[in-house]
Amino acid sequence: MRIPYKNNKGSVLVWAVVISLVLTILVGTTLSIAFSFYHRSVNNNSMKQAYFTSRSVVEAISKEIKGETANGIAIVALLVNTGDVVNLNNVNFINDTRYMGTTIANVTLIAQNVIKITATTTVANQTKTVSLRIQKGTGTTLPIGTEFPGLEVDDTTIISETYTYITTAITQDIYAQANSTVVFDNNAEYYGIIYAESGVHITINQGSKFLGTIYAQSGTIFSFTKLHNFFTGLIYVKNGAIIKVNNVNYTITQNGSNISVSPNGMNTTFKSLLRIYTGSAADGGWGDSVYE
Amino acid sequence: MEDGVIVFMNKKLNSSGFTLVEAVVGGLLLTICSLMLISGFIASLIYVRSGTEIKRKGLEVSSVIEGAVNTNPAITESTTANGILSYQIGSTQYQINGSYLSASETEDNVGFIIFTSNTP
């Protein structure tokens, strides 16, 4: 029988090279991940400074416009037609103690009563844009302002994105964002204001007392079984708003001095709380501002 | 005599097909790689630690800029009252007077600055 000759000579070098390659790749990968993490931390800080600088510019410009200073008047004078843009060139910070980056900024007339200020700053290749809208006249620029012109939303108002449970302990006003839920606890006694965007579901548990105001955008949903005698707060809607009450859609319209609800059949106690909003944004200077 | 030693070593080390040269070169390669591995991991660790520190300090210093109370003695705050934001519209130069608030953590040179206009 013939035994095949097995030549292992030189194999150790192959093994050494293979192991070396594997280790080099391992070290290289680890180093590159670690360096990327380090670099990201440094970039984040540059990005933060870019944000602060951009915010500084838009805030300063909005104050000039709202305060109707000579600078502000000069900008507004150039914004005649919707879509007009005023570019602020060579934005520069004098006497600053740290590098604030390179900023380009512009002011755009979005609508005849809305100005948008945008500033974009670059710090160490990191760029951040901050935009601010200011609206002429009074009233909030939050989405609810479209149906309730002139309505002011207090700064202390709780902005709720998903769920708010109202108990007696809650004293602040509540701004419920679209499609969120507001529930009145059965022992609640609430005197505040609720601003409800479209799609907000307000559940009124039996026994809850309410002496405040609800501004309900069209599309707000109300659910209850029985209203407490002290559930006497008013519910404002725009003329023509459609609100869903206990699973039925009702259209609320102004009919002379009366409020018309169609179809018939809405809970009479609830119906007596409904009011048509008649406020309007007062003329005047540039008012409320909101970051985008 | 020398030939005899080499033959002996070859025989000794060649049981699996190794030769002395192979063993020396292979061993050297592995040693270099081990050193690379160790120094590479140490460097990675330094990067990760340093990155984490810079991130933490960035958050801390930026919160001071946002108005948080500064309780860290390593963070220095300063206000420069004679700040000016200047810009041009067309060929006309405009200026807005204000002040700068800066906060920094000197060790890693992590710091931020913000301009606040004097216009009410």
Side-chain angles (χ1 to χ4, degrees), chain A residues 155-184:
Chain A
D155 286 344
T156 56
T157 301
I158 298 169
I159 307 287
S160 171
E161 288 179 5
T162 51
Y163 186 87
T164 311
Y165 197 74
I166 297 180
T167 63
T168 304
I170 292 187
T171 55
Q172 297 102 315
D173 298 338
I174 294 158
Y175 187 96
Q177 290 185 330
N179 304 315
S180 64
T181 301
V182 177
V183 177
F184 279 86

PDB file of all heavy atoms in Angstrom, chain A residues 155-184:
ATOM      1  N   ASP A 155     -47.966  80.969  27.783  1.00  0.00           N
ATOM      2  CA  ASP A 155     -46.683  80.240  27.775  1.00  0.00           C
ATOM      3  C   ASP A 155     -46.647  79.070  28.754  1.00  0.00           C
ATOM      4  O   ASP A 155     -45.872  78.132  28.579  1.00  0.00           O
ATOM      5  CB  ASP A 155     -45.535  81.195  28.131  1.00  0.00           C
ATOM      6  CG  ASP A 155     -45.232  82.125  26.972  1.00  0.00           C
ATOM      7  OD1 ASP A 155     -45.678  81.812  25.856  1.00  0.00           O
ATOM      8  OD2 ASP A 155     -44.572  83.153  27.197  1.00  0.00           O
ATOM      9  N   THR A 156     -47.472  79.143  29.800  1.00  0.00           N
ATOM     10  CA  THR A 156     -47.432  78.088  30.815  1.00  0.00           C
ATOM     11  C   THR A 156     -48.302  76.884  30.441  1.00  0.00           C
ATOM     12  O   THR A 156     -48.381  75.923  31.190  1.00  0.00           O
ATOM     13  CB  THR A 156     -47.904  78.630  32.177  1.00  0.00           C
ATOM     14  OG1 THR A 156     -49.221  79.180  32.006  1.00  0.00           O
ATOM     15  CG2 THR A 156     -46.974  79.717  32.694  1.00  0.00           C
ATOM     16  N   THR A 157     -48.937  76.968  29.293  1.00  0.00           N
ATOM     17  CA  THR A 157     -49.834  75.888  28.869  1.00  0.00           C
ATOM     18  C   THR A 157     -49.063  74.579  28.662  1.00  0.00           C
ATOM     19  O   THR A 157     -47.969  74.584  28.102  1.00  0.00           O
ATOM     20  CB  THR A 157     -50.531  76.280  27.544  1.00  0.00           C
ATOM     21  OG1 THR A 157     -51.242  77.479  27.770  1.00  0.00           O
ATOM     22  CG2 THR A 157     -51.465  75.208  27.058  1.00  0.00           C
ATOM     23  N   ILE A 158     -49.680  73.492  29.136  1.00  0.00           N
ATOM     24  CA  ILE A 158     -49.063  72.172  28.930  1.00  0.00           C
ATOM     25  C   ILE A 158     -49.320  71.752  27.486  1.00  0.00           C
ATOM     26  O   ILE A 158     -50.469  71.730  27.046  1.00  0.00           O
ATOM     27  CB  ILE A 158     -49.689  71.129  29.886  1.00  0.00           C
ATOM     28  CG1 ILE A 158     -49.443  71.513  31.345  1.00  0.00           C
ATOM     29  CG2 ILE A 158     -49.165  69.741  29.581  1.00  0.00           C
ATOM     30  CD1 ILE A 158     -50.241  70.689  32.332  1.00  0.00           C
ATOM     31  N   ILE A 159     -48.263  71.456  26.774  1.00  0.00           N
ATOM     32  CA  ILE A 159     -48.430  70.971  25.397  1.00  0.00           C
ATOM     33  C   ILE A 159     -48.429  69.450  25.462  1.00  0.00           C
ATOM     34  O   ILE A 159     -47.438  68.828  25.824  1.00  0.00           O
ATOM     35  CB  ILE A 159     -47.285  71.461  24.485  1.00  0.00           C
ATOM     36  CG1 ILE A 159     -47.116  72.984  24.566  1.00  0.00           C
ATOM     37  CG2 ILE A 159     -47.499  70.988  23.049  1.00  0.00           C
ATOM     38  CD1 ILE A 159     -48.183  73.802  23.893  1.00  0.00           C
ATOM     39  N   SER A 160     -49.561  68.868  25.139  1.00  0.00           N
ATOM     40  CA  SER A 160     -49.689  67.414  25.261  1.00  0.00           C
ATOM     41  C   SER A 160     -49.663  66.759  23.887  1.00  0.00           C
ATOM     42  O   SER A 160     -50.457  67.089  23.017  1.00  0.00           O
ATOM     43  CB  SER A 160     -50.994  67.086  25.968  1.00  0.00           C
ATOM     44  OG  SER A 160     -51.231  65.708  25.913  1.00  0.00           O
ATOM     45  N   GLU A 161     -48.745  65.819  23.721  1.00  0.00           N
ATOM     46  CA  GLU A 161     -48.621  65.154  22.414  1.00  0.00           C
ATOM     47  C   GLU A 161     -49.496  63.911  22.312  1.00  0.00           C
ATOM     48  O   GLU A 161     -49.955  63.562  21.240  1.00  0.00           O
ATOM     49  CB  GLU A 161     -47.168  64.737  22.183  1.00  0.00           C
ATOM     50  CG  GLU A 161     -46.256  65.905  21.911  1.00  0.00           C
ATOM     51  CD  GLU A 161     -44.821  65.473  21.699  1.00  0.00           C
ATOM     52  OE1 GLU A 161     -44.566  64.262  21.669  1.00  0.00           O
ATOM     53  OE2 GLU A 161     -43.959  66.353  21.581  1.00  0.00           O
ATOM     54  N   THR A 162     -49.687  63.238  23.451  1.00  0.00           N
ATOM     55  CA  THR A 162     -50.379  61.948  23.346  1.00  0.00           C
ATOM     56  C   THR A 162     -51.565  61.802  24.306  1.00  0.00           C
ATOM     57  O   THR A 162     -52.661  61.466  23.895  1.00  0.00           O
ATOM     58  CB  THR A 162     -49.396  60.795  23.628  1.00  0.00           C
ATOM     59  OG1 THR A 162     -48.718  61.065  24.861  1.00  0.00           O
ATOM     60  CG2 THR A 162     -48.394  60.631  22.510  1.00  0.00           C
ATOM     61  N   TYR A 163     -51.350  62.084  25.594  1.00  0.00           N
ATOM     62  CA  TYR A 163     -52.383  61.729  26.577  1.00  0.00           C
ATOM     63  C   TYR A 163     -52.347  62.686  27.764  1.00  0.00           C
ATOM     64  O   TYR A 163     -51.283  62.983  28.296  1.00  0.00           O
ATOM     65  CB  TYR A 163     -52.104  60.304  27.071  1.00  0.00           C
ATOM     66  CG  TYR A 163     -53.164  59.732  27.977  1.00  0.00           C
ATOM     67  CD1 TYR A 163     -54.285  59.077  27.446  1.00  0.00           C
ATOM     68  CD2 TYR A 163     -53.067  59.853  29.358  1.00  0.00           C
ATOM     69  CE1 TYR A 163     -55.253  58.552  28.272  1.00  0.00           C
ATOM     70  CE2 TYR A 163     -54.040  59.320  30.192  1.00  0.00           C
ATOM     71  CZ  TYR A 163     -55.132  58.672  29.645  1.00  0.00           C
ATOM     72  OH  TYR A 163     -56.094  58.156  30.463  1.00  0.00           O
ATOM     73  N   THR A 164     -53.508  63.183  28.148  1.00  0.00           N
ATOM     74  CA  THR A 164     -53.590  64.039  29.339  1.00  0.00           C
ATOM     75  C   THR A 164     -54.740  63.558  30.212  1.00  0.00           C
ATOM     76  O   THR A 164     -55.862  63.370  29.721  1.00  0.00           O
ATOM     77  CB  THR A 164     -53.857  65.509  28.958  1.00  0.00           C
ATOM     78  OG1 THR A 164     -52.943  65.895  27.950  1.00  0.00           O
ATOM     79  CG2 THR A 164     -53.691  66.424  30.164  1.00  0.00           C
ATOM     80  N   TYR A 165     -54.443  63.327  31.456  1.00  0.00           N
ATOM     81  CA  TYR A 165     -55.477  62.893  32.399  1.00  0.00           C
ATOM     82  C   TYR A 165     -55.759  64.059  33.343  1.00  0.00           C
ATOM     83  O   TYR A 165     -54.883  64.481  34.095  1.00  0.00           O
ATOM     84  CB  TYR A 165     -54.989  61.670  33.180  1.00  0.00           C
ATOM     85  CG  TYR A 165     -56.102  60.923  33.863  1.00  0.00           C
ATOM     86  CD1 TYR A 165     -56.983  60.123  33.130  1.00  0.00           C
ATOM     87  CD2 TYR A 165     -56.296  61.023  35.237  1.00  0.00           C
ATOM     88  CE1 TYR A 165     -58.010  59.440  33.744  1.00  0.00           C
ATOM     89  CE2 TYR A 165     -57.322  60.337  35.860  1.00  0.00           C
ATOM     90  CZ  TYR A 165     -58.185  59.547  35.108  1.00  0.00           C
ATOM     91  OH  TYR A 165     -59.207  58.881  35.721  1.00  0.00           O
ATOM     92  N   ILE A 166     -56.973  64.589  33.271  1.00  0.00           N
ATOM     93  CA  ILE A 166     -57.290  65.781  34.056  1.00  0.00           C
ATOM     94  C   ILE A 166     -57.832  65.388  35.421  1.00  0.00           C
ATOM     95  O   ILE A 166     -58.844  64.687  35.535  1.00  0.00           O
ATOM     96  CB  ILE A 166     -58.328  66.660  33.327  1.00  0.00           C
ATOM     97  CG1 ILE A 166     -57.725  67.140  32.007  1.00  0.00           C
ATOM     98  CG2 ILE A 166     -58.751  67.845  34.185  1.00  0.00           C
ATOM     99  CD1 ILE A 166     -58.631  68.011  31.194  1.00  0.00           C
ATOM    100  N   THR A 167     -57.124  65.837  36.435  1.00  0.00           N
ATOM    101  CA  THR A 167     -57.584  65.659  37.813  1.00  0.00           C
ATOM    102  C   THR A 167     -57.711  67.047  38.428  1.00  0.00           C
ATOM    103  O   THR A 167     -57.350  68.048  37.808  1.00  0.00           O
ATOM    104  CB  THR A 167     -56.554  64.843  38.621  1.00  0.00           C
ATOM    105  OG1 THR A 167     -55.344  65.596  38.672  1.00  0.00           O
ATOM    106  CG2 THR A 167     -56.288  63.484  38.014  1.00  0.00           C
ATOM    107  N   THR A 168     -58.187  67.098  39.655  1.00  0.00           N
ATOM    108  CA  THR A 168     -58.331  68.387  40.329  1.00  0.00           C
ATOM    109  C   THR A 168     -56.977  69.061  40.513  1.00  0.00           C
ATOM    110  O   THR A 168     -56.878  70.277  40.598  1.00  0.00           O
ATOM    111  CB  THR A 168     -59.017  68.175  41.697  1.00  0.00           C
ATOM    112  OG1 THR A 168     -60.260  67.497  41.423  1.00  0.00           O
ATOM    113  CG2 THR A 168     -59.334  69.482  42.396  1.00  0.00           C
ATOM    114  N   ALA A 169     -55.936  68.257  40.578  1.00  0.00           N
ATOM    115  CA  ALA A 169     -54.599  68.807  40.818  1.00  0.00           C
ATOM    116  C   ALA A 169     -54.087  69.630  39.640  1.00  0.00           C
ATOM    117  O   ALA A 169     -53.201  70.464  39.801  1.00  0.00           O
ATOM    118  CB  ALA A 169     -53.625  67.663  41.101  1.00  0.00           C
ATOM    119  N   ILE A 170     -54.656  69.409  38.460  1.00  0.00           N
ATOM    120  CA  ILE A 170     -54.150  70.143  37.284  1.00  0.00           C
ATOM    121  C   ILE A 170     -54.793  71.528  37.221  1.00  0.00           C
ATOM    122  O   ILE A 170     -56.024  71.669  37.213  1.00  0.00           O
ATOM    123  CB  ILE A 170     -54.426  69.357  35.984  1.00  0.00           C
ATOM    124  CG1 ILE A 170     -53.560  68.101  35.983  1.00  0.00           C
ATOM    125  CG2 ILE A 170     -54.132  70.208  34.751  1.00  0.00           C
ATOM    126  CD1 ILE A 170     -53.584  67.310  34.724  1.00  0.00           C
ATOM    127  N   THR A 171     -53.937  72.535  37.189  1.00  0.00           N
ATOM    128  CA  THR A 171     -54.439  73.910  37.152  1.00  0.00           C
ATOM    129  C   THR A 171     -54.048  74.626  35.860  1.00  0.00           C
ATOM    130  O   THR A 171     -54.632  75.640  35.514  1.00  0.00           O
ATOM    131  CB  THR A 171     -53.887  74.718  38.352  1.00  0.00           C
ATOM    132  OG1 THR A 171     -52.456  74.630  38.325  1.00  0.00           O
ATOM    133  CG2 THR A 171     -54.399  74.194  39.676  1.00  0.00           C
ATOM    134  N   GLN A 172     -53.035  74.083  35.169  1.00  0.00           N
ATOM    135  CA  GLN A 172     -52.591  74.773  33.949  1.00  0.00           C
ATOM    136  C   GLN A 172     -53.559  74.510  32.791  1.00  0.00           C
ATOM    137  O   GLN A 172     -54.315  73.547  32.811  1.00  0.00           O
ATOM    138  CB  GLN A 172     -51.202  74.267  33.500  1.00  0.00           C
ATOM    139  CG  GLN A 172     -50.107  74.526  34.490  1.00  0.00           C
ATOM    140  CD  GLN A 172     -49.782  73.265  35.255  1.00  0.00           C
ATOM    141  OE1 GLN A 172     -50.681  72.549  35.706  1.00  0.00           O
ATOM    142  NE2 GLN A 172     -48.507  72.987  35.408  1.00  0.00           N
ATOM    143  N   ASP A 173     -53.450  75.381  31.789  1.00  0.00           N
ATOM    144  CA  ASP A 173     -54.207  75.147  30.561  1.00  0.00           C
ATOM    145  C   ASP A 173     -53.545  73.996  29.800  1.00  0.00           C
ATOM    146  O   ASP A 173     -52.363  73.705  30.020  1.00  0.00           O
ATOM    147  CB  ASP A 173     -54.196  76.400  29.685  1.00  0.00           C
ATOM    148  CG  ASP A 173     -54.862  77.580  30.398  1.00  0.00           C
ATOM    149  OD1 ASP A 173     -55.653  77.327  31.322  1.00  0.00           O
ATOM    150  OD2 ASP A 173     -54.570  78.736  30.031  1.00  0.00           O
ATOM    151  N   ILE A 174     -54.317  73.380  28.915  1.00  0.00           N
ATOM    152  CA  ILE A 174     -53.789  72.211  28.189  1.00  0.00           C
ATOM    153  C   ILE A 174     -53.961  72.409  26.693  1.00  0.00           C
ATOM    154  O   ILE A 174     -55.061  72.749  26.230  1.00  0.00           O
ATOM    155  CB  ILE A 174     -54.537  70.925  28.629  1.00  0.00           C
ATOM    156  CG1 ILE A 174     -54.219  70.628  30.095  1.00  0.00           C
ATOM    157  CG2 ILE A 174     -54.159  69.738  27.749  1.00  0.00           C
ATOM    158  CD1 ILE A 174     -55.239  69.758  30.759  1.00  0.00           C
ATOM    159  N   TYR A 175     -52.879  72.233  25.965  1.00  0.00           N
ATOM    160  CA  TYR A 175     -52.942  72.279  24.500  1.00  0.00           C
ATOM    161  C   TYR A 175     -52.766  70.848  24.007  1.00  0.00           C
ATOM    162  O   TYR A 175     -51.674  70.284  24.081  1.00  0.00           O
ATOM    163  CB  TYR A 175     -51.839  73.183  23.939  1.00  0.00           C
ATOM    164  CG  TYR A 175     -51.957  73.399  22.456  1.00  0.00           C
ATOM    165  CD1 TYR A 175     -52.601  74.525  21.952  1.00  0.00           C
ATOM    166  CD2 TYR A 175     -51.459  72.469  21.552  1.00  0.00           C
ATOM    167  CE1 TYR A 175     -52.731  74.722  20.587  1.00  0.00           C
ATOM    168  CE2 TYR A 175     -51.589  72.645  20.188  1.00  0.00           C
ATOM    169  CZ  TYR A 175     -52.221  73.768  19.708  1.00  0.00           C
ATOM    170  OH  TYR A 175     -52.367  73.956  18.356  1.00  0.00           O
ATOM    171  N   ALA A 176     -53.858  70.265  23.543  1.00  0.00           N
ATOM    172  CA  ALA A 176     -53.804  68.870  23.084  1.00  0.00           C
ATOM    173  C   ALA A 176     -53.526  68.841  21.589  1.00  0.00           C
ATOM    174  O   ALA A 176     -54.309  69.363  20.797  1.00  0.00           O
ATOM    175  CB  ALA A 176     -55.119  68.173  23.396  1.00  0.00           C
ATOM    176  N   GLN A 177     -52.400  68.263  21.247  1.00  0.00           N
ATOM    177  CA  GLN A 177     -52.028  68.208  19.826  1.00  0.00           C
ATOM    178  C   GLN A 177     -52.875  67.183  19.083  1.00  0.00           C
ATOM    179  O   GLN A 177     -53.509  66.323  19.697  1.00  0.00           O
ATOM    180  CB  GLN A 177     -50.542  67.878  19.699  1.00  0.00           C
ATOM    181  CG  GLN A 177     -49.679  69.050  20.166  1.00  0.00           C
ATOM    182  CD  GLN A 177     -48.200  68.807  19.950  1.00  0.00           C
ATOM    183  OE1 GLN A 177     -47.746  67.681  19.990  1.00  0.00           O
ATOM    184  NE2 GLN A 177     -47.452  69.870  19.761  1.00  0.00           N
ATOM    185  N   ALA A 178     -52.866  67.294  17.763  1.00  0.00           N
ATOM    186  CA  ALA A 178     -53.734  66.478  16.910  1.00  0.00           C
ATOM    187  C   ALA A 178     -53.698  65.001  17.291  1.00  0.00           C
ATOM    188  O   ALA A 178     -52.633  64.446  17.542  1.00  0.00           O
ATOM    189  CB  ALA A 178     -53.323  66.634  15.455  1.00  0.00           C
ATOM    190  N   ASN A 179     -54.894  64.420  17.349  1.00  0.00           N
ATOM    191  CA  ASN A 179     -55.083  62.982  17.591  1.00  0.00           C
ATOM    192  C   ASN A 179     -54.645  62.514  18.978  1.00  0.00           C
ATOM    193  O   ASN A 179     -54.501  61.315  19.208  1.00  0.00           O
ATOM    194  CB  ASN A 179     -54.350  62.153  16.520  1.00  0.00           C
ATOM    195  CG  ASN A 179     -54.790  62.525  15.126  1.00  0.00           C
ATOM    196  OD1 ASN A 179     -55.982  62.656  14.876  1.00  0.00           O
ATOM    197  ND2 ASN A 179     -53.847  62.740  14.227  1.00  0.00           N
ATOM    198  N   SER A 180     -54.425  63.445  19.896  1.00  0.00           N
ATOM    199  CA  SER A 180     -54.093  63.027  21.257  1.00  0.00           C
ATOM    200  C   SER A 180     -55.388  62.813  22.064  1.00  0.00           C
ATOM    201  O   SER A 180     -56.483  63.015  21.556  1.00  0.00           O
ATOM    202  CB  SER A 180     -53.188  64.047  21.938  1.00  0.00           C
ATOM    203  OG  SER A 180     -53.860  65.261  22.085  1.00  0.00           O
ATOM    204  N   THR A 181     -55.229  62.392  23.299  1.00  0.00           N
ATOM    205  CA  THR A 181     -56.383  62.049  24.127  1.00  0.00           C
ATOM    206  C   THR A 181     -56.399  62.891  25.395  1.00  0.00           C
ATOM    207  O   THR A 181     -55.363  63.102  26.013  1.00  0.00           O
ATOM    208  CB  THR A 181     -56.302  60.551  24.512  1.00  0.00           C
ATOM    209  OG1 THR A 181     -56.279  59.789  23.307  1.00  0.00           O
ATOM    210  CG2 THR A 181     -57.478  60.109  25.359  1.00  0.00           C
ATOM    211  N   VAL A 182     -57.575  63.366  25.751  1.00  0.00           N
ATOM    212  CA  VAL A 182     -57.739  64.095  27.012  1.00  0.00           C
ATOM    213  C   VAL A 182     -58.859  63.403  27.780  1.00  0.00           C
ATOM    214  O   VAL A 182     -59.946  63.196  27.242  1.00  0.00           O
ATOM    215  CB  VAL A 182     -58.111  65.574  26.772  1.00  0.00           C
ATOM    216  CG1 VAL A 182     -58.351  66.300  28.085  1.00  0.00           C
ATOM    217  CG2 VAL A 182     -57.034  66.280  25.969  1.00  0.00           C
ATOM    218  N   VAL A 183     -58.587  63.025  29.002  1.00  0.00           N
ATOM    219  CA  VAL A 183     -59.598  62.316  29.799  1.00  0.00           C
ATOM    220  C   VAL A 183     -59.867  63.095  31.087  1.00  0.00           C
ATOM    221  O   VAL A 183     -58.936  63.445  31.827  1.00  0.00           O
ATOM    222  CB  VAL A 183     -59.127  60.886  30.139  1.00  0.00           C
ATOM    223  CG1 VAL A 183     -60.138  60.169  31.027  1.00  0.00           C
ATOM    224  CG2 VAL A 183     -58.894  60.086  28.865  1.00  0.00           C
ATOM    225  N   PHE A 184     -61.148  63.386  31.350  1.00  0.00           N
ATOM    226  CA  PHE A 184     -61.540  64.007  32.609  1.00  0.00           C
ATOM    227  C   PHE A 184     -61.757  62.901  33.640  1.00  0.00           C
ATOM    228  O   PHE A 184     -62.602  62.033  33.445  1.00  0.00           O
ATOM    229  CB  PHE A 184     -62.861  64.774  32.446  1.00  0.00           C
ATOM    230  CG  PHE A 184     -62.708  66.142  31.829  1.00  0.00           C
ATOM    231  CD1 PHE A 184     -62.690  66.292  30.453  1.00  0.00           C
ATOM    232  CD2 PHE A 184     -62.601  67.272  32.628  1.00  0.00           C
ATOM    233  CE1 PHE A 184     -62.568  67.547  29.882  1.00  0.00           C
ATOM    234  CE2 PHE A 184     -62.475  68.535  32.064  1.00  0.00           C
ATOM    235  CZ  PHE A 184     -62.455  68.676  30.682  1.00  0.00           C
TER     236      PHE A 184
END
